[in-house]
């Protein structure tokens, strides 16, 4: 499925709890005092100007992923701020993960997974034998090619890790370039691999499923990316590699959500070889940085516990 950025993904709704005829009837009812009538009018005035917060911006949209909603917590994909995303979005379903892909960047916007202990037990028996391949379901102009990475100095960094894959088919699919971003080699093989292992250790420790969303971060916004470059100013457009101009992320993140324990936290790493391990950040912090609603089924994100003690201890061990 593709999305036209020119269309309005949502429209603001106005909530008005009383009909005008009801107010007239209230006024005529002699049992009510003038004070009661004025109070009702004040309520209508205040509530009539309010709109649900997730619908207030026409820039937000929620992809459908009708064929693989099981990869998302509560079956609901994130609600995304279009102004913060590259263009030409497409949904891709795989056996063990789902990808929201951007043709403008030639990379995933994010990759979603459901990981449980049984899947990880099966993953231990799967040999890592996949071969990288361009994603044929994407138009040629919108996909990364194998040669884009060759000699670039950047790794093909998995967003859904090969180590999470519970079957040979899932393992092979994880090597699609639609699941890759250009990642600094030392980061990919060091700190980021540690974060992936920490997530698997957490799932084994708690003994139930968690949901993970992983993706690249590109600084600036859609308006800046599409603006004409000025000779007097550095271009805000991301770096790119290869003939296809695959965007190189400024950073990468991994959000982990445990609905059973009501915990959510995120790993964040600048896309550099000298990046050091750091303590996870909260869901609130991630939303403030990227402005997307990652868990739309959670009615109050503030009630989630931000960081699991075990994860915090693992982060400290990484830095030692």
């Amino acid at each position: 499925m593709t999305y036209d950025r020119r269309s309005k993904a949502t429209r603001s709704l106005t909530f008005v709890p009383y009909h005008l005829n009801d107010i007239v009837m209230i006024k005529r009812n002699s049992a009510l005092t003038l004070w009661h009538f004025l109070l009702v009018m004040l309520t209508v005035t205040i509530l009539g100007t309010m709109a649900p917060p997730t619908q207030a911006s026409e820039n937000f949209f929620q992809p459908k992923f009708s064929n693989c909603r099981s990869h998302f917590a509560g079956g609901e994909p994130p609600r995304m701020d279009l102004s913060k995303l590259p263009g030409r979005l497409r949904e891709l379903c795989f056996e063990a993960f789902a990808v929201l892909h951007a043709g403008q960047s030639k990379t995933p916007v994010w990759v979603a997974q459901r990981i449980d202990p049984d899947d990880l037990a099966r993953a231990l028996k799967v040999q890592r034998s996949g071969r990288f391949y361009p994603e044929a379901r994407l138009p040629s102009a919108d996909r990364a090619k194998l040669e884009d990475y060759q000699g670039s100095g950047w790794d093909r960094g998995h967003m859904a890790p090969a180590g999470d894959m519970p079957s040979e088919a899932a393992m092979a699919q994880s090597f699609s370039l639609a699941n890759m971003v250009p990642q600094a080699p030392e980061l990919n093989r060091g700190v980021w691999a540690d974060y992936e292992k920490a997530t698997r250790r957490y799932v084994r420790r708690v003994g139930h499923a968690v949901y993970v969303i992983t993706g690249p971060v590109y600084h600036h916004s859609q308006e800046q990316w599409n603006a004409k470059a000025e000779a007097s100013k550095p271009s805000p457009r991301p770096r790119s590699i290869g003939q296809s101009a695959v965007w190189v992320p400024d950073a990468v993140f991994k959000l982990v959500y445990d609905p059973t324990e009501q915990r959510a936290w995120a790993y964040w790493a600048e896309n550099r070889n000298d990046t050091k391990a750091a303590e996870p950040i909260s869901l609130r912090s991630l939303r403030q940085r990227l402005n997307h609603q990652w868990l739309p089924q959670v009615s109050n994100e503030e009630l989630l516990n931000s960081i699991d003690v075990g994860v915090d201890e693992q982060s400290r061990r990484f830095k030692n």
Side-chain angles (χ1 to χ4, degrees):
M1 178 175 293
T2 60
Y3 296 92
D4 185 345
R5 186 174 301 281
R6 295 169 299 180
S7 64
K8 296 182 178 179
T10 60
R11 298 184 183 275
S12 298
L13 300 179
T14 302
F15 173 53
V16 182
Y18 296 102
H19 190 277
L20 183 60
N21 290 338
D22 296 330
I23 297 174
V24 173
M25 291 178 66
I26 292 172
K27 185 177 179 181
R28 290 175 177 173
N29 190 336
S30 59
L32 292 177
T33 65
L34 178 61
W35 167 251
H36 291 147
F37 174 73
L38 292 176
L39 183 61
V40 171
M41 288 296 293
L42 179 62
T43 301
V44 171
T45 301
I46 294 174
L47 293 180
T49 61
M50 296 175 63
T54 58
Q55 298 174 338
S57 172
E58 294 181 347
N59 281 331
F60 277 81
F61 89 109
Q62 185 177 37
K64 297 185 182 300
F65 283 96
S66 302
N67 295 325
C68 56
R69 296 182 76 92
S70 61
H71 296 318
F72 302 93
E76 282 201 64
R79 285 175 51 83
M80 313 302 295
D81 181 351
L82 284 171
S83 70
K84 305 293 184 182
L85 301 181
R88 306 200 297 277
L89 303 178
R90 288 179 181 269
E91 302 173 8
L92 298 172
C93 289
F94 295 85
E95 178 184 315
F97 57 94
V99 175
L100 181 64
H101 186 273
Q104 184 178 13
S105 64
K106 319 294 190 302
T107 65
V109 174
W110 43 251
V111 178
Q113 299 173 262
R114 178 188 182 275
I115 308 174
D116 66 34
D118 291 339
D119 286 340
L120 293 182
R122 287 190 288 271
L124 292 174
K125 302 175 183 178
V126 178
Q127 184 178 359
R128 184 185 172 104
S129 57
R131 293 184 179 182
F132 295 99
Y133 66 93
E135 182 53 59
R137 288 179 289 173
L138 296 170
S140 179
D142 284 359
R143 65 180 183 241
K145 314 296 193 301
L146 294 173
E147 52 269 26
D148 291 324
Y149 284 87
Q150 293 173 358
S152 68
W154 298 90
D155 276 5
R156 291 165 289 203
H158 283 71
M159 295 291 92
D164 293 352
M165 298 299 119
S167 70
E168 291 183 1
M171 172 67 76
Q173 292 173 2
S174 76
F175 283 82
S176 167
L177 292 183
N179 183 39
M180 307 290 161
V181 301
Q183 201 165 17
E186 295 301 318
L187 171 65
N188 182 39
R189 304 167 201 178
V191 169
W192 195 251
D194 288 337
Y195 290 161
E196 293 172 342
K197 293 173 186 175
T199 304
R200 289 192 284 269
R201 282 197 295 268
Y202 177 83
V203 174
R204 294 186 182 107
R205 179 164 63 83
V206 297
H208 54 249
V210 303
Y211 294 87
V212 180
I213 299 175
T214 308
V217 176
Y218 305 106
H219 296 330
H220 305 296
S221 66
Q222 180 64 224
E223 182 178 359
Q224 291 170 303
W225 295 329
N226 292 330
K228 292 183 179 179
E230 299 180 21
S232 59
K233 297 180 181 179
S235 173
R237 297 174 186 173
R239 295 169 292 177
S240 63
I241 60 171
Q243 290 287 334
S244 306
V246 181
W247 287 13
V248 177
D250 296 298
V252 284
F253 74 92
K254 181 180 291 291
L255 171 64
V256 183
Y257 171 53
D258 180 345
T260 302
E261 300 292 336
Q262 283 297 284
R263 293 189 183 279
W265 65 90
Y267 299 105
W268 180 283
E270 296 298 316
N271 193 18
R272 303 193 310 263
N273 282 319
D274 62 353
T275 294
K276 305 299 182 184
E279 293 184 0
I281 63 174
S282 67
L283 174 60
R284 179 180 182 182
S285 218
L286 183 67
R287 185 168 186 181
Q288 288 173 340
R289 295 184 188 193
L290 301 180
N291 202 41
H292 307 306
Q293 188 179 358
W294 298 105
L295 302 173
Q297 81 287 355
V298 176
S299 58
N300 190 345
E301 295 177 354
E302 301 300 320
L303 297 181
L304 294 178
N305 297 305
S306 294
I307 298 173
D308 177 73
V309 174
V311 172
D312 198 20
E313 290 174 353
Q314 290 166 353
S315 297
R316 283 195 289 271
R317 286 202 297 272
F318 291 157
K319 293 188 286 186
N320 295 332

